[in-house]
Amino acid sequence: PMMMTTSPNAGRVLKSTFHDLLCEPRGVKLFEQFLANENISADPLSSSGVSARACLQFILEVEDNNRTGPDWGKKANDIYNNYIQEKSPHQVCGLLPQSTKFELDNIFHSGKDIQSDVFNKAYDIVYEHVKEDSFKRFVRSALFSEYQRETGSLSGSTGATQPRPPSAPSSSSLSSSSQAPNTPGHTSQLSLQPHQINENMVLCKLPGEKLIFKVVRIVIFDAGLREWVRGLLFITNFRLEFGNVTAQAGTQSAHVDLDTLDTICEMPLAAISRIEKKLAPSKIVAQGIEYTIEILSKDGRRLDFYFELESADISSTMVRTLRKFAFPDEKDKSGLFAFQYKGTFPASVKGWGIYNIYEESLRQRVPFDKWRVTDINHDYGKCSSYPSRLIVPASVSDEALEPVFEFRSKGRIPVLSWVHPLNGASITRSSQPLTGLRQARCQADEDLLSEIILSSGGRSLYLLDARPKANAVGNTVKGMGFENIANYSNCYLEFMDIPNIHVIRESHQKLDALCQSYGNDESWYAQLDATKWLALLRFVLAAAARTVSLVEEGYPVLLHCSDGWDRTAQLSSLALLMLDSYHRTLQGFQVLIEKEWIAFGHKFQERLGHGDENHADKERAPIFLQFLDAVHQLTIQFPCSFEFNGKLLHTIVEHLYSCQFGTFLYNTEQERQRHRVRERTVSLWSYVNANAEEYMNPFYLPDDTALQVSLHGDSLVLWRPVFLRWSRRLMRNTLTAEMRADMMRKQTEQMAKKMKDMEKEIETLRATVAAFRRGETPPEAEPAPDDPVPQPRQERQGSIDPLTGAVFS
């Protein structure tokens, strides 16, 4: 916890943190008295042979030694002898890991000069133990109440030297300011009282989420609303949340109720792309602002936090905290929140098991007399980016496939994605061949394509190369290239002209920048065209439409780009979405993503940069986001053809960057198995399927007809709910649209229930009429389970036959 110094007239705040306590000599004395009075058996630390009093003395002596300046080494040996070494009289070494003790033993026995940070690791460990154990008991004691009364809870300098905080920041209860009217210089104070609120319970919304750090006296400029907002910033191990609270009117010191926290913005830490601390612009320095922290996210958000002159230390600690959790040091990415998230879902809900190659092949009705499943890549030795099991023509042996792995870039050989259930035409996918400038050939590759033709009905095979022809020709210089059709019998080659990832990334960056300055004038839409985002989307959809047209006519298609994990995945998945109505269902869409993107090795880690602070990495590109945008365009053009609604796409976009789930972690199936992602994380599909009702389209009408996308004129539109979702100016309209959708859903449910009730009533009337005609007593209608029991009513003088109009007595 980092203490914030405030001006003498800044108000009164509660001295409630362990950090604050160590700044007050009287507080330390009362804490020591509390520990002395405590029964030793009640001290949990004693089980390790460690006394809480010894821990407190160790903390105080290290702090005192920090202030000795050049005489540092004189007392350091005493601290080591009294607290660290094996036979020390006041051991705290029982709390320390063996590595830390071994390191300290080496330092003090080597005779080398002792550095001032020698006890840093030990200090941090002991500090956290006392803070989380003994101090929490002290806060509930009468001595703590006495301490509060004596100090009067005054903020500001106490005259005591502040202890050094531990290197890893943790939650603290500090003073907070209410919303500033218009300028950052507003200084009304609020006090946070931990005995009145449970911060973790209120702020940590997810299982496994923990409050890490809290910053007060912080200001944000809301560009959308054109105003300054003062409030509190909370950082958990998953996200940051900034909001303001309203002080109780008419009081100088108000208590904060976090249940009434008005959230201004929040962001998953894994979504952060860049964090920069800068000196504030000169025009706002005069208003008391010294530093600004700029946070840019991967999904188009920008947050600027401003710190007042006395908050320099806080701003530095905040940056360190954010970087620690946004860009964890662990090479295996185990520091991401997905590995801490503890969400549980019913066993009946499908998550990781949503896709299975055998189940999907049976569903597709793949003719296994023509195709077979091979496990030649079972150890990922042939192709590290492919799944362990592949589908190839049944007539091709594993031995015949060996040379093809060598001839195709990254070993990504042609394998089956889908078979048309009526005409047998197939969609296969691969990477580019390694032809090079000398137009190298591979007989095994040529034979494999011939067998694909035979397995698909015998008609000509179309090779759809997703790249512009110039790019494919350029790759021959690097030893790669494209198929020489003269060597492949009964094949045709077409180039789809889809630009590479660098063009897509540049277009998306322009779109992000434009959406930050959203306007509704003609110039803004002209700038939107200049980003070329929709034009590039049109290229992708046109290539997918070409694939659909060929397959519908009975021609098999082989799709590839350079390496087969970006544009190839876009085309195969979009073609399957348009051809196969199953993939337009909620479950089928999940299977599509698992198969065509995740299993086939789209490089999510490199394209999204999970946990990587190198925001300028040239491997990053929003390829999967572009695919989701293409799906969105299809849902707009065919609103009744998809079982799922737009909210599903929004949820996928959100968790593409959040790293709450393990679904989009790492690049390949091999990496996910190595890091045991299925055992250690939760699948996004578990969450989606547990809340399936939220993602259902009430206008869905199942239809097996292939979709024919329109690409003319203004048929493609900006995906506003995604690209403009952070515009505060549009927030009100966006919420209204969501509210309308929710109202329509509820009205639909009410109408369906009313129809059922009316049908029951009609049946009852018919039974009544039939009974009257037979001269029998009509049966009493049984109330529906959810209906209230009808109250007794007065007998009517007669009944009317609804069919004849006759009156019965």
Side-chain angles (χ1 to χ4, degrees):
M2 177 69 72
M3 182 170 181
M4 184 182 65
T5 308
T6 57
S7 59
N9 61 350
R12 299 160 71 87
V13 295
L14 178 66
K15 290 282 189 179
S16 59
T17 69
F18 184 43
H19 184 189
D20 293 333
L21 180 86
L22 296 180
C23 295
E24 293 279 358
R26 176 58 175 164
V28 171
K29 185 175 181 180
L30 289 172
F31 189 29
E32 288 178 326
Q33 182 180 339
F34 167 77
L35 295 177
N37 294 340
E38 212 175 27
N39 189 312
I40 188 65
S41 63
D43 184 354
L45 301 183
S46 63
S47 60
S48 304
V50 178
S51 164
R53 295 178 67 189
C55 291
L56 177 60
Q57 288 302 319
F58 171 75
I59 292 170
L60 296 174
E61 289 197 28
V62 170
E63 287 300 335
D64 183 59
N65 206 29
N66 284 341
R67 296 190 287 273
T68 59
D71 296 328
W72 161 259
K74 294 180 180 179
K75 289 187 177 179
N77 275 294
D78 292 338
I79 294 175
Y80 170 76
N81 292 330
N82 288 332
Y83 297 97
I84 303 297
Q85 72 168 345
E86 203 64 39
K87 297 181 180 180
S88 58
H90 310 293
Q91 285 191 16
V92 300
C93 58
L95 298 177
L96 306 180
Q98 288 294 332
S99 59
T100 303
K101 289 191 288 185
F102 181 74
E103 182 180 346
L104 287 171
D105 289 341
N106 281 343
I107 291 173
F108 282 93
H109 293 155
S110 64
K112 297 180 181 178
D113 290 339
I114 298 173
Q115 303 299 317
S116 60
D117 62 351
V118 66
F119 292 120
N120 271 11
K121 291 182 181 178
Y123 177 95
D124 289 355
I125 294 168
V126 175
Y127 184 104
E128 286 299 318
H129 270 285
V130 176
K131 179 172 73 76
E132 294 300 324
D133 180 74
S134 304
F135 177 69
K136 286 187 175 179
R137 298 197 303 276
F138 175 59
V139 167
R140 297 190 293 269
S141 71
L143 285 173
F144 182 72
S145 300
E146 179 182 343
Y147 164 61
Q148 289 182 292
R149 289 193 300 271
E150 290 182 5
T151 59
S153 299
L154 286 173
S155 67
S157 176
T158 64
T161 305
Q162 297 175 9
R164 175 180 62 82
S167 56
S170 59
S171 63
S172 61
S173 299
L174 303 173
S175 63
S176 165
S177 305
S178 64
Q179 181 177 353
N182 281 309
T183 63
H186 191 64
T187 58
S188 62
Q189 295 290 316
L190 298 174
S191 64
L192 300 181
Q193 301 202 23
H195 61 278
Q196 291 183 332
I197 55 176
N198 185 331
E199 292 172 343
N200 271 294
M201 186 178 296
V202 175
L203 295 169
C204 299
K205 304 171 183 177
L206 299 173
E209 188 176 8
K210 299 177 182 178
L211 184 62
I212 300 300
F213 191 61
K214 180 168 64 184
V215 182
V216 296
R217 291 180 62 80
I218 191 173
V219 179
I220 187 172
F221 181 72
D222 192 316
L225 300 180
R226 302 288 180 185
E227 65 180 24
W228 294 94
V229 180
R230 175 184 297 279
L232 302 93
L233 177 71
F234 299 95
I235 302 175
T236 73
N237 56 341
F238 172 60
R239 65 191 168 88
L240 64 83
E241 178 177 356
F242 176 80
N244 67 351
V245 288
T246 305
Q248 297 174 2
T251 61
Q252 182 181 6
S253 177
H255 299 311
V256 175
D257 182 1
L258 292 187
D259 288 318
T260 65
L261 182 70
D262 178 20
T263 300
I264 304 299
C265 58
E266 60 180 329
M267 179 190 298
L269 301 185
I272 294 176
S273 173
R274 187 165 75 225
I275 305 168
E276 292 186 5
K277 179 181 176 181
K278 304 176 181 178
L279 289 173
S282 56
K283 61 183 179 181
I284 64 172
V285 169
Q287 301 180 55
I289 297 297
E290 184 177 17
Y291 292 102
T292 176
I293 293 179
E294 177 184 278
I295 301 175
L296 299 179
S297 76
K298 300 168 187 173
D299 57 357
R301 279 176 275 192
R302 172 175 175 164
L303 302 176
D304 292 288
F305 293 102
Y306 297 87
F307 292 81
E308 295 167 324
L309 295 172
E310 62 269 32
S311 303
D313 290 341
I314 290 288
S315 62
S316 298
T317 306
M318 172 182 165
V319 169
R320 287 197 301 270
T321 304
L322 289 173
R323 283 181 175 156
K324 176 180 178 180
F325 289 94
F327 315 123
D329 293 333
E330 293 84 357
K331 293 182 180 179
D332 63 355
K333 303 301 176 184
S334 60
L336 295 171
F337 180 69
F339 293 97
Q340 280 76 54
Y341 177 56
K342 305 300 180 185
T344 56
F345 299 93
S348 59
V349 173
K350 282 191 174 182
W352 289 121
I354 196 73
Y355 166 64
N356 176 283
I357 188 172
Y358 296 105
E359 292 177 0
E360 176 59 12
S361 299
L362 291 172
R363 185 204 63 81
Q364 284 187 27
R365 290 179 292 181
V366 173
F368 283 107
D369 58 330
K370 298 180 179 179
W371 300 90
R372 70 181 179 92
V373 177
T374 174
D375 62 353
I376 188 174
N377 196 42
H378 67 94
D379 60 353
Y380 308 102
K382 301 299 181 184
C383 177
S384 62
S385 60
Y386 259 6
S388 59
R389 292 182 175 86
L390 307 166
I391 302 179
V392 297
S395 56
V396 180
S397 67
D398 285 354
E399 290 76 13
L401 293 174
E402 296 277 357
V404 187
F405 282 107
E406 299 293 330
F407 186 66
R408 290 282 168 172
S409 176
K410 304 294 190 297
R412 297 173 67 89
I413 67 172
V415 294
L416 182 69
S417 280
W418 190 77
V419 173
H420 197 290
L422 300 180
N423 60 37
S426 66
I427 295 179
T428 50
R429 58 182 293 172
S430 71
S431 61
Q432 64 186 332
L434 303 180
T435 51
L437 289 173
R438 297 186 179 183
Q439 291 294 295
R441 296 180 60 177
C442 174
Q443 188 61 47
D445 189 74
E446 295 166 16
D447 292 344
L448 176 58
L449 267 60
S450 295
E451 294 302 321
I452 288 176
I453 292 173
L454 294 176
S455 298
S456 304
R459 302 193 72 178
S460 299
L461 174 66
Y462 278 79
L463 311 179
L464 299 189
D465 192 324
R467 303 167 291 179
K469 184 175 182 179
N471 292 18
V473 172
N475 274 357
T476 60
V477 179
K478 304 174 185 178
M480 296 170 281
F482 55 95
E483 294 83 356
N484 183 347
I485 294 303
N487 301 328
Y488 292 85
S489 61
N490 204 16
C491 291
Y492 295 93
L493 175 65
E494 296 181 11
F495 293 96
M496 296 292 100
D497 295 324
I498 302 174
N500 60 28
I501 64 170
H502 310 296
V503 176
I504 306 302
R505 179 180 60 249
E506 182 181 354
S507 173
H508 183 248
Q509 289 172 345
K510 291 179 180 178
L511 180 63
D512 263 354
L514 180 64
C515 290
Q516 294 286 342
S517 60
Y518 172 73
N520 203 27
D521 51 40
E522 293 182 2
S523 65
W524 193 90
Y525 289 98
Q527 294 176 67
L528 175 61
D529 287 339
T531 67
K532 300 190 180 303
W533 179 260
L534 294 179
L536 295 171
L537 201 60
R538 186 173 280 106
F539 278 119
V540 175
L541 283 166
R546 175 63 174 156
T547 305
V548 171
S549 175
L550 288 169
V551 173
E552 281 285 280
E553 293 175 15
Y555 294 101
V557 173
L558 170 61
L559 300 169
H560 73 70
C561 49
S562 294
D563 293 319
W565 47 47
D566 290 317
R567 289 165 285 190
T568 301
Q570 289 180 327
L571 298 189
S572 64
S573 52
L574 286 171
L576 267 60
L577 196 66
M578 290 188 258
L579 284 165
D580 192 338
S581 61
Y582 169 72
H583 290 308
R584 300 195 287 269
T585 66
L586 181 63
Q587 177 174 315
F589 189 63
Q590 298 168 35
V591 171
L592 180 71
I593 292 174
E594 284 284 338
K595 179 167 74 80
E596 295 299 316
W597 289 88
I598 297 173
F600 273 107
H602 175 66
K603 302 198 294 184
F604 283 101
Q605 174 60 44
E606 292 187 21
R607 296 293 180 256
L608 300 173
H610 291 320
D612 185 0
E613 61 182 328
N614 183 15
H615 60 86
D617 187 351
K618 298 301 182 184
E619 288 299 309
R620 293 196 188 181
I623 302 301
F624 187 70
L625 177 65
Q626 189 182 43
F627 158 71
L628 293 176
D629 195 349
V631 177
H632 161 255
Q633 305 296 334
L634 292 174
T635 63
I636 295 297
Q637 294 189 22
F638 304 95
C640 298
S641 297
F642 291 82
E643 184 185 38
F644 55 86
N645 56 26
K647 185 175 181 180
L648 176 67
L649 300 180
H650 304 162
T651 298
I652 294 174
V653 170
E654 176 185 354
H655 294 297
L656 187 62
Y657 302 104
S658 76
C659 292
Q660 178 181 340
F661 302 96
T663 303
F664 301 117
L665 297 185
Y666 303 106
N667 293 321
T668 65
E669 180 180 285
Q670 180 187 27
E671 291 178 9
R672 294 182 192 97
Q673 284 197 7
R674 182 190 309 141
H675 297 296
R676 298 171 44 245
V677 170
R678 289 196 173 202
E679 293 80 15
R680 299 170 64 196
T681 71
V682 178
S683 169
L684 171 61
W685 312 130
S686 296
Y687 171 79
V688 168
N689 293 326
N691 300 278
E693 291 183 1
E694 298 180 18
Y695 301 107
M696 291 299 182
N697 174 13
F699 306 108
Y700 173 57
L701 297 173
D703 184 3
D704 291 336
T705 305
L707 305 183
Q708 303 295 328
V709 62
S710 172
L711 302 171
H712 303 293
D714 298 329
S715 55
L716 303 185
V717 296
L718 179 67
W719 195 5
R720 287 169 173 258
V722 167
F723 295 118
L724 295 177
R725 68 192 184 279
W726 309 123
S727 172
R728 295 274 288 169
R729 296 187 216 174
L730 294 180
M731 189 174 292
R732 185 180 302 276
N733 293 335
T734 302
L735 291 174
T736 301
E738 291 176 356
M739 290 171 62
R740 287 177 179 172
D742 189 52
M743 289 173 61
M744 289 180 65
R745 181 179 59 82
K746 290 180 179 178
Q747 288 175 355
T748 303
E749 293 173 354
Q750 291 172 357
M751 290 175 65
K753 185 176 184 301
K754 190 173 182 179
M755 285 181 63
K756 288 182 179 179
D757 292 342
M758 292 176 68
E759 289 172 355
K760 290 181 180 178
E761 188 173 348
I762 290 172
E763 290 299 322
T764 301
L765 288 171
R766 285 176 176 166
T768 301
V769 171
F772 275 126
R773 286 175 172 170
R774 294 192 301 269
E776 301 173 354
T777 303
E780 289 288 338
E782 295 183 4
D786 296 332
D787 292 342
V789 177
Q791 298 298 319
R793 52 184 179 178
Q794 295 181 349
E795 293 184 3
R796 296 193 298 176
Q797 296 301 315
S799 300
I800 301 177
D801 187 330
L803 299 178
T804 63
V807 178
F808 298 92
S809 60

